[in-house]
């Protein structure tokens, strides 16, 4: 593990100039899977495979000392007849995963009770594409003291709610036998990932229970299918969430601290209780959920820099990186983090609901009028209980509207050649904003990688993507036209 940590850190140092990602060494050559418009995860069409691997990661005692080392003890599917390059690539990927399944160190002891934990991690390739690890950590079936193990599903698809349900099915079978998991996962692997709003039904046999039909439905509104904003609302005030958003928009360094992989109950219980979905009154959010939620606020833009929901202990010096990052760290490493030489970082303690470090200008990054609009929208309807879908829409909506008002006119300033290739007219785009405050912000924002990647995709496409963001742009433009029409009528 120490060797892996050194290789990852060396890779990070080598690729700083490119906004390189922490796990760059996992793939020396670029591949493709993901990354596009949905936070750091893309909007996938249907038809792809659900997952690449199901792994079981167990703790094995080191040959020397009392410490344990996480090791892959089960892999499905086993890949055979791989070319040399493919085999090396697979070995690098599988070599990194155990570290992220047990990011909280190797000092374990056998336990008789252990609350199950669901969390995720992201492995980033050199080209910015990502693989997500969906994890369920629990005690194996049996009696007496035993060590926890992790069921980990590796996929390039970002759909956290769906994979959580899959892990529920894996856990149910794990109580019987590992052999019962195999046919379920084989059926899942043969099924195509459903399109938004569609359902795939799997037939699965469980001993003593008979045949079961398992329905997996992908949400119709895919830009929020991977996120749960209740995690942020539990721990932080709206004003603090707005400051985190402002820091992320300018691609700064952001560290989230929390107790273990599960968050303690934060100070913002009053606000959170107003939004808490009725069926989730006593659930605890995780550190990884909080970071996914913070990154999701950037929709329709994608965080393209170092992104580690839970940083393993051996990689803590990531916080010294001079390039942008968004990472989660357990509070037991708080002092180690604060003693590290860091440049302009926002350090968020999720358990205390406080900022331990900040640049100091977070309240001044966004245009004041638009800040007020976001806070006003977030504050409406706080006394009504909401489902998780309603909550997500309520929180995400004001931030989407912020981008509609500041950069929603981007398509009008892409001039196209005869072959369809577009060229973004940055100067005219900025000048089109009538508000000086909005213009000052946008002049900074257009220099970020967030905006650059977005506009590069737009330049390649002949028509604006027919997604949620475009829908909100059209609605906003229609509202402006109606307002002008009413004003003319009054005159």
């Amino acid at each position: 593990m120490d060797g892996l940590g050194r290789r990852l850190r060396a890779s990070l140092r080598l690729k700083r100039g490119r906004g390189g990602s922490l796990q760059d060494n996992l793939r020396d050559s670029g591949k493709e899977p993901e990354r596009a418009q949905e936070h750091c995860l893309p909007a996938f069409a249907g038809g792809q495979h659900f997952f690449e691997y199901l792994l079981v990661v167990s703790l094995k005692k080191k040959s020397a000392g009392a410490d344990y080392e996480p090791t892959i003890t089960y892999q499905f599917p086993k890949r055979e007849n791989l070319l040399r390059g493919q085999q090396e690539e697979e070995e690098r990927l599988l070599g990194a995963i155990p570290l992220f399944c047990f990011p909280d160190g190797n000092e374990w002891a056998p336990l008789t009770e252990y609350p199950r934990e669901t969390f995720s991690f992201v492995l980033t390739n050199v080209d910015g594409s990502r693989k997500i690890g969906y994890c369920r950590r629990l005690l194996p079936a049996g009696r007496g003291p035993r060590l926890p193990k992790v069921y980990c599903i590796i996929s390039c698809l970002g759909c956290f709610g769906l994979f959580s349900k899959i892990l529920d099915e894996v856990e149910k079978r794990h109580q019987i036998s590992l052999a019962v998991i195999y046919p379920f996962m084989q059926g899942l692997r043969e099924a195509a990932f459903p399109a938004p709003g569609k359902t795939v039904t799997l037939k699965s046999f469980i001993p003593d229970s008979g045949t079961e039909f398992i329905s997996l439905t992908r949400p119709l509104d895919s830009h929020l299918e991977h996120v749960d904003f209740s995690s942020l609302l539990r721990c932080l005030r709206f004003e603090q969430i707005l400051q985190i958003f402002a820091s992320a928009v300018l691609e700064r360094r952001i560290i989230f601290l929390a107790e273990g992989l599960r968050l303690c109950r934060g100070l913002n219980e009053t606000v959170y209780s107003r939004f808490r979905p009725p069926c989730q009154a006593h659930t605890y959010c995780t550190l990884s959920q909080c970071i996914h939620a913070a990154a999701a606020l950037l929709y329709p833009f994608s965080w393209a820099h170092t992104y580690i929901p839970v940083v393993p202990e051996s990689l803590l010096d990531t916080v010294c990186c001079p390039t942008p990052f968004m990472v989660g760290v357990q509070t037991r490493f708080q002092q180690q983090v604060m003693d590290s030489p860091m440049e302009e970082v926002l350090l968020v303690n999720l358990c205390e609901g406080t900022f331990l470090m900040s640049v100091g200008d977070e309240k001044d990054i966004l245009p004041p009028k638009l800040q007020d609009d976001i806070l006003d929208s977030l504050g409406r309807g706080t006394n009504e209980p909401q489902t998780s879908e309603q909550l997500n829409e309520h929180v995400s909506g004001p931030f989407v509207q912020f981008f509609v008002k500041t950069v929603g006119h981007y398509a009008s300033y892409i001039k196209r050649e005869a072959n369809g290739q577009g060229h973004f007219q940055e100067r005219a785009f900025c000048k089109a904003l009538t508000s000086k405050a909005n213009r000052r912000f946008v002049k900074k924002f257009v220099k970020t990688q967030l905006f650059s990647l977005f506009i590069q995709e737009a330049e390649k496409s002949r028509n604006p993507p027919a997604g949620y963001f475009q829908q909100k742009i059209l609605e906003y433009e229609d509202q402006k036209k109606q307002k002008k029409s009413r004003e003319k009528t009054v005159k």
Side-chain angles (χ1 to χ4, degrees):
M1 286 301 148
D2 291 341
L4 173 63
R6 285 195 296 272
R7 292 198 300 275
L8 293 178
R9 290 193 289 272
S11 171
L12 180 63
R13 289 194 292 271
L14 286 170
K15 294 181 171 63
R16 279 174 180 169
R18 299 174 51 185
S21 40
L22 178 68
Q23 300 92 342
D24 285 325
N25 76 304
L26 295 180
R27 311 231 172 179
D28 295 331
S29 60
K31 290 290 172 193
E32 250 179 48
E34 74 164 295
R35 174 70 99 187
Q37 303 304 319
E38 320 271 289
H39 110 79
C40 354
L41 308 176
F44 288 98
Q48 301 190 47
H49 289 298
F50 269 88
F51 70 99
E52 293 187 23
Y53 298 99
L54 168 68
L55 306 170
V56 178
V57 179
S58 306
L59 290 167
K60 299 295 181 182
K61 204 159 206 174
K62 291 183 177 179
S63 54
D67 289 348
Y68 290 89
E69 183 175 38
T71 304
I72 294 174
T73 54
Y74 177 82
Q75 173 189 333
F76 172 78
K78 287 277 190 182
R79 299 186 187 276
E80 299 177 350
N81 303 319
L82 294 176
L83 298 176
R84 182 177 176 181
Q86 294 173 322
Q87 186 172 351
E88 290 174 352
E89 178 184 308
E90 181 183 65
E91 288 173 357
R92 283 195 294 272
L93 173 66
L94 297 181
I97 287 169
L99 182 67
F100 291 91
C101 290
F102 286 89
D104 36 3
N106 53 12
E107 297 177 2
W108 288 86
L111 304 164
T112 55
E113 292 184 3
Y114 184 81
R116 71 174 188 177
E117 294 177 298
T118 303
F119 59 97
S120 60
F121 60 83
V122 179
L123 298 176
T124 308
N125 301 332
V126 175
D127 64 348
S129 62
R130 300 186 170 191
K131 294 186 186 296
I132 308 109
Y134 301 95
C135 300
R136 176 70 52 84
R137 191 157 74 183
L138 39 69
L139 281 184
R143 295 181 179 180
R146 51 208 187 278
L147 292 164
K149 64 182 178 182
V150 174
Y151 284 92
C152 178
I153 299 173
I154 301 297
S155 175
C156 64
L157 303 173
C159 198
F160 293 87
L162 204 56
F163 279 96
S164 180
K165 185 173 182 181
I166 293 169
L167 286 168
D168 288 343
E169 295 296 330
V170 170
E171 181 179 356
K172 185 162 61 175
R173 287 156 178 77
H174 133 94
Q175 302 294 342
I176 304 170
S177 165
L178 195 62
V180 184
I181 297 174
Y182 170 81
F184 169 70
M185 295 304 291
Q186 179 63 34
L188 186 66
R189 186 163 175 78
E190 292 171 357
F193 190 68
K198 301 299 182 182
T199 299
V200 62
T201 300
L202 303 179
K203 184 178 179 180
S204 178
F205 177 79
I206 298 181
D208 300 327
S209 297
T211 300
E212 289 189 358
F213 292 91
I214 301 151
S215 295
L216 299 170
T217 301
R218 182 177 176 185
L220 183 62
D221 186 3
S222 62
H223 89 278
L224 292 177
E225 68 183 356
H226 57 272
V227 68
D228 178 3
F229 284 114
S230 62
S231 50
L232 283 181
L233 294 179
R234 177 187 290 277
C235 301
L236 301 169
R237 301 188 309 274
F238 293 145
E239 292 82 2
Q240 292 172 312
I241 294 173
L242 190 58
Q243 291 176 56
I244 292 170
F245 170 74
S247 297
V249 161
L250 289 192
E251 298 181 322
R252 292 183 172 179
R253 291 168 283 279
I254 307 173
I255 304 170
F256 293 88
L257 290 170
E259 289 281 356
L261 302 182
R262 290 176 172 267
L263 293 179
C264 55
R265 198 174 284 271
L267 296 182
N268 201 26
E269 188 65 19
T270 303
V271 172
Y272 177 75
S273 63
R274 296 170 181 168
F275 288 98
R276 182 187 290 127
C279 61
Q280 298 178 347
H282 301 292
T283 57
Y284 285 81
C285 50
T286 65
L287 180 54
S288 60
Q289 282 177 333
C290 249
I291 296 185
H292 291 314
L297 295 176
L298 297 172
Y299 173 85
F301 303 95
S302 301
W303 183 263
H305 304 280
T306 299
Y307 179 81
I308 316 175
V310 185
V311 177
E313 182 179 2
S314 62
L315 302 180
L316 282 176
D317 59 1
T318 303
V319 302
C320 304
C321 177
T323 54
F325 58 74
M326 191 180 296
V327 300
V329 176
Q330 297 160 83
T331 50
R332 64 196 182 101
F333 303 126
Q334 176 179 325
Q335 196 56 50
Q336 187 175 339
V337 167
M338 296 188 74
D339 291 342
S340 301
M342 297 183 292
E343 302 176 14
E344 296 191 333
V345 66
L346 180 62
L347 181 57
V348 184
N349 188 322
L350 292 167
C351 289
E352 300 296 331
T354 59
F355 293 164
L356 300 181
M357 298 176 67
S358 64
V359 177
D361 66 346
E362 286 83 1
K363 293 181 180 179
D364 304 319
I365 293 172
L366 308 178
K369 172 66 168 60
L370 297 185
Q371 287 196 60
D372 291 341
D373 289 347
I374 292 174
L375 292 174
D376 288 346
S377 296
L378 290 174
R380 291 191 202 118
T382 56
N383 294 318
E384 297 296 325
Q386 300 189 30
T387 65
S388 57
E389 290 79 11
Q390 290 171 329
L391 170 65
N392 284 347
E393 180 61 37
H394 183 93
V395 177
S396 173
F399 294 95
V400 174
Q401 201 64 22
F402 170 85
F403 286 124
V404 168
K405 292 175 181 177
T406 52
V407 299
H409 58 299
Y410 74 94
S412 300
Y413 292 88
I414 297 178
K415 305 303 178 186
R416 300 200 176 275
E417 299 176 0
N419 62 3
Q421 177 62 42
H423 298 281
F424 180 59
Q425 311 296 305
E426 180 182 312
R427 189 172 179 182
F429 169 77
C430 293
K431 285 182 69 175
L433 292 164
T434 55
S435 164
K436 288 183 180 179
N438 290 6
R439 199 181 312 134
R440 277 194 300 270
F441 165 76
V442 169
K443 282 183 177 179
K444 294 179 182 178
F445 183 56
V446 294
K447 304 301 181 184
T448 64
Q449 197 166 348
L450 283 171
F451 187 81
S452 295
L453 292 174
F454 177 87
I455 215 67
Q456 285 170 19
E457 290 300 315
E459 287 175 329
K460 295 175 188 175
S461 176
R462 289 179 178 270
N463 300 304
Y468 182 79
F469 186 54
Q470 184 62 25
Q471 174 190 331
K472 292 300 176 184
I473 290 173
L474 295 175
E475 289 177 4
Y476 179 65
E477 290 175 347
D478 189 48
Q479 289 168 6
K480 287 198 299 183
K481 287 177 184 176
Q482 291 179 15
K483 184 180 178 181
K484 280 186 180 180
S485 178
R486 286 195 300 268
E487 288 172 350
K488 286 182 180 178
T489 304
V490 171
K491 290 178 181 179

